[in-house]
Amino acid sequence: MSHKNIKTISNPKLKLEILTKEDVQKIHDATLQIIENVGVRFPSKRALEIWEANGADVDHEKRIVRVKPQVIEEALKKCPPAYTLAARDPQQDLPLDGNHVCLGTDGCGVEVIDIETKEKRTSCLQDVRDIARVADATEEVAFHWVPVSAQDTPAETRGLHEVKAVWENSTKHVQTESIYSVHEAQAAMEMAVILAGGKAEVRKRPVLSLMQCTAPPLGHDGGSLDAALIAAEHGIPTGFMTMASCLTTGPATMAGTLAVGNAEVIAATALLQLAYPGAPVFYAAAQTASDPRSGAYTGGGPEDFLFGAATNVLADFYNIPLSMGSFATGAKEPNWQAGLEGSLSTFMASVVMSDMLLGVGFLHGSRIWSYAEMMMDCEIFSIIHKMMQGIVVDEETLALDAIAAVGPGGHFLAQKHTRNHMRDLFLPQFLDRRPYTEWETKKDDARDWALNKARKILKEHQPDPLDERISKEFDKIIKSVEKS
Amino acid sequence: MSDELEKLFKEMAQSIIDGDSDISVELAKKSIEMGVPPLDAITKGFVVGVNYIGDQFGAGEAFLPELVMAGEAMKAAVATLEPELIKLGEAREIMGRVVLATVEGDIHEIGKTLVGTMLSASGFEVVDLGVDQPADKIIGKALEINADLIGMSALLTTTMVRQREVIEELDKEGLRPRIKVMVGGAPITRDWATKIKADGTSEDAVGAVQLAKQLVGKE
Ligand code: B12
């Protein structure tokens, strides 16, 4: 399947075995034991009612639910294993079928390195528009998260202004992680219905999807649960993301943290299936290890990379798509650390074929947006995309005729075979392969080239505009929420 | 000081360093039986351990869980000695009283809890209200315990505004500058703190302690 201006990883040639079948079964059993005996907190009236109706043991005061393994397992069987994330342009629809790795932008940043002045400042609505436009033109980006917060819009409708801004500036799929209240979720559904052209249409072609954070350890946010239930009701794909981190919100050991996060995610996923059987759902995770000296969320390091690969094995076990946190470096500027953390986390999450990867563009632990970082993250993805194609071994690629023609000594530069295949080789945009003296006189590097690329796109790229009538409808919906 | 007493104080410090609440409580009880003045038990025994771990943590040698467990062992020991202190009409000298909370609509907990731990370890009396706390709860608790300081954490751009609401409410009720306010969390900048007229902000827990000391005039 090919998509317009979207590059996804598919038909992988590399493999990694990170957990054995027995390991996964042990984690699953531990998870069920946690849900049955320790319980998970569901601070939402609606959620508690659903649990109660399905025979769970509900502690209303503490809002903790304990559920028998069969209930969870039966509910999870109703999850659809594959579905499509629809885009405004149908040629950019994304299949979540286990054979595509789709990359998104990261989301909810609070500051932006200004594309012109290079100064750090508070994020605003115009940034959401600009970043969406740059992402629209960038083939590595398959779908959007709301990249930064539109802090110049009212807090109670911010999430709506943001999705509207992305839809107006790109034809690719929009996933939002910043809608976590009933009133915003309802309004967002209305917007999606209008964009898709009807309630039945949005079920078939969900142009929006939602990601909700769990509240580790073993809890949820009430607003997030209610928003997720509303989405599930409308057939809008919804995922719960655990960020349980070794040492703080999870045990210091990785297996234990996987079990804690898994309990949060599968319990909430089961809840959606109990309420709306067959609703499209996905597993989401951005687990890591907290820094032992400060408790800081690291977004990098060997544990982070291992989690990146391990979680997909769990999602596969439940046969649902996975959205995996990769990139999101703790580095303060695009540098060695950013490259290292971006590469290894993305490689590990890709090699196991995570369906969605989040995402490009951030520094300082998912807080500061940088266009240069975005472009360089995209190049990392492209390199991994190329690596995942592996090495093709056949008559043509063994090139025996060319080898015979050149013989010992000489070179392959004048061979037809070479010309036929030279463009199979990866051509980097931002790797410095110049002579030393050229670098010495210019003293520029990847960061400058990446920033220039983003500047050029922002100047030149005009996405297919959204029908003005739809924009006006969106405004009306947002206004009515602001009034109430 | 008798050898026995010296040994007891050393063990007390060690129980904090080991983060062992069972032992710290046991030693606190033993000191009461031995007739050791409770304030001595605290300042010459347990506090020595807290200071040691605090220094080690500051130097990057001790890890966060060690700090937290030391704090808990300290709390448990002090709670055991408290009735004795009250009986004697003595009060432990504290740096100041702090009410700490993550603001309404926000459930980010770790950073706030860390700040609370560090403040406790540094001699502040901390009431940690938890997450998702509305203004009236925060202010109510501050009045109830006669707090010197309110610390508010907010990690979302949509909830930062709650910090301002609390400050405005305090101003309206004429509670400042008697109660000082510090704010923190991922999106909180110095500019924001100034804009909402907070008394200060810090990017981490160590800085939060310095700030708190400064605000109560005990630097
Ligand atoms: C872990 C985490 C979570 C966990 C929290 C788990 C828990 N039990 O606490 C969970 C998964 C629950 C979560 C949920 C959400 N999160 Co969150 N989360 C984070 C993350 C990655 C790390 C926070 C953390 O724990 N850091 C470690 C501690 C040690 O650091 P800290 O909190 O900053 O605290 C230090 C200082 O700030 C300071 N400090 C803190 N408080 C105070 C108070 C005072 C008085 C002082 C002086 C100092 C001070 O000292 C602390 C110690 O050093 C941040 C990103 C980041 N790097 O900060 C996002 C982040 C804060 N989250 C974000 C978002 C969007 C959300 C959600 C809305 C996502 C969703 N769609 O569901 C929900 C919100 C739910 C809600 N209603 O609150 C955004 C916010 C951005 C924005 N635009 O508003 C961030 C920036 C990430 C991102 N870009 O998406 N999150």
Side-chain angles (χ1 to χ4, degrees), chain A residues 47 54 57 80 138 145 218 242 264 271 282 290 300 302 305 310 316 331 333 338 395-396 398-399 433 464 479:
Chain A
N54 283 280
D57 169 13
T138 305
W145 254 9
L218 301 178
T242 177
E264 295 156 6
L271 171 81
F282 57 91
S290 305
F305 310 147
D316 280 352
E333 54 172 21
E395 210 177 311
E396 176 66 15
L398 282 169
R433 294 169 167 179
D464 276 350
K479 279 262 154 55

Side-chain angles (χ1 to χ4, degrees), chain B residues 60-206:
Chain B
E61 297 287 335
F63 285 180
L64 194 55
E66 297 176 279
L67 183 72
V68 172
M69 282 187 261
E72 308 232 312
M74 178 74 189
K75 238 194 245 165
V78 171
T80 310
L81 295 170
E82 204 87 73
E84 227 29 48
L85 281 171
I86 293 168
K87 242 193 266 166
L88 296 172
E90 286 180 356
R92 186 164 64 100
E93 206 205 331
I94 55 164
M95 284 285 204
R97 288 198 175 79
V98 191
V99 170
L100 199 62
T102 300
V103 296
E104 186 169 8
D106 200 322
I107 58 165
H108 291 87
E109 176 138 44
I110 306 300
K112 170 212 45 88
T113 304
L114 266 179
V115 170
T117 305
M118 285 296 279
L119 285 172
S120 300
S122 313
F124 285 86
E125 194 177 287
V126 180
V127 176
D128 185 340
L129 290 174
V131 298
D132 193 11
Q133 292 298 317
D136 54 342
K137 276 250 180 82
I138 297 173
I139 296 171
K141 187 49 105 184
L143 290 173
E144 185 191 320
I145 68 157
N146 193 18
D148 306 292
L149 269 172
I150 289 178
M152 283 183 282
S153 189
L155 268 86
L156 298 171
T157 48
T158 47
T159 57
M160 303 156 58
V161 289
R162 303 271 177 234
Q163 296 179 333
R164 170 161 36 202
E165 285 171 18
V166 171
I167 290 173
E168 282 172 356
E169 192 58 34
L170 285 169
D171 277 335
K172 220 167 70 194
E173 294 181 20
L175 294 169
R176 292 173 84 213
R178 195 181 103 210
I179 301 177
K180 301 272 194 324
V181 180
M182 43 182 204
V183 293
I188 307 305
T189 56
R190 199 147 299 222
D191 286 348
W192 171 254
T194 313
K195 195 165 142 195
I196 63 170
K197 303 201 178 68
D199 296 296
T201 179
S202 148
E203 252 196 286
D204 64 13
V206 176

Side-chain angles (χ1 to χ4, degrees), chain A residues 386-459:
Chain A
K386 177 68 187 171
M387 288 165 65
M388 293 287 288
Q389 293 167 3
I391 300 169
V392 180
V393 183
D394 59 22
E395 210 177 311
E396 176 66 15
T397 60
L398 282 169
L400 285 178
D401 290 346
I403 294 169
V406 173
H411 60 73
F412 288 86
L413 290 169
Q415 295 298 312
K416 244 205 182 107
H417 181 275
T418 304
R419 209 177 59 189
N420 288 342
H421 289 283
M422 64 186 185
R423 287 186 202 282
D424 300 347
L425 299 172
F426 183 78
L427 193 65
Q429 303 176 68
F430 307 133
L431 299 181
D432 193 346
R433 294 169 167 179
R434 299 171 296 177
Y436 192 86
T437 43
E438 192 180 335
W439 170 77
E440 207 171 26
T441 40
K442 293 187 178 151
K443 285 275 166 67
D444 55 354
D445 67 20
R447 291 175 284 198
D448 305 296
W449 309 327
L451 182 63
N452 283 341
K453 182 176 175 189
R455 281 178 176 164
K456 187 163 183 294
I457 295 173
L458 194 58
K459 208 156 153 206

Side-chain angles (χ1 to χ4, degrees), chain A residues 107-110 149 177-180 211-217 221 224 241 243 249 294-297 362 364-367, chain B residues 100 105-112 114-115 151-158 182-186 200-205 208 211:
Chain A
C108 269
V110 294
S149 291
E177 71 297 7
S178 60
I179 285 186
Y180 42 92
M211 198 289 294
Q212 302 296 343
C213 275
T214 68
D221 173 50
S224 292
M241 170 178 276
M243 288 170 112
T249 49
S294 66
Y297 183 86
F362 271 162
H364 189 30
S366 300
R367 278 174 277 183
Chain B
L100 199 62
D106 200 322
I107 58 165
H108 291 87
E109 176 138 44
I110 306 300
K112 170 212 45 88
L114 266 179
V115 170
M152 283 183 282
S153 189
L155 268 86
L156 298 171
T157 48
T158 47
M182 43 182 204
V183 293
T201 179
S202 148
E203 252 196 286
D204 64 13
L211 173 64

Side-chain angles (χ1 to χ4, degrees), chain B residues 48-62:
Chain B
V48 177
V50 167
N51 288 345
Y52 177 80
I53 284 287
D55 290 347
Q56 290 284 300
F57 183 75
E61 297 287 335

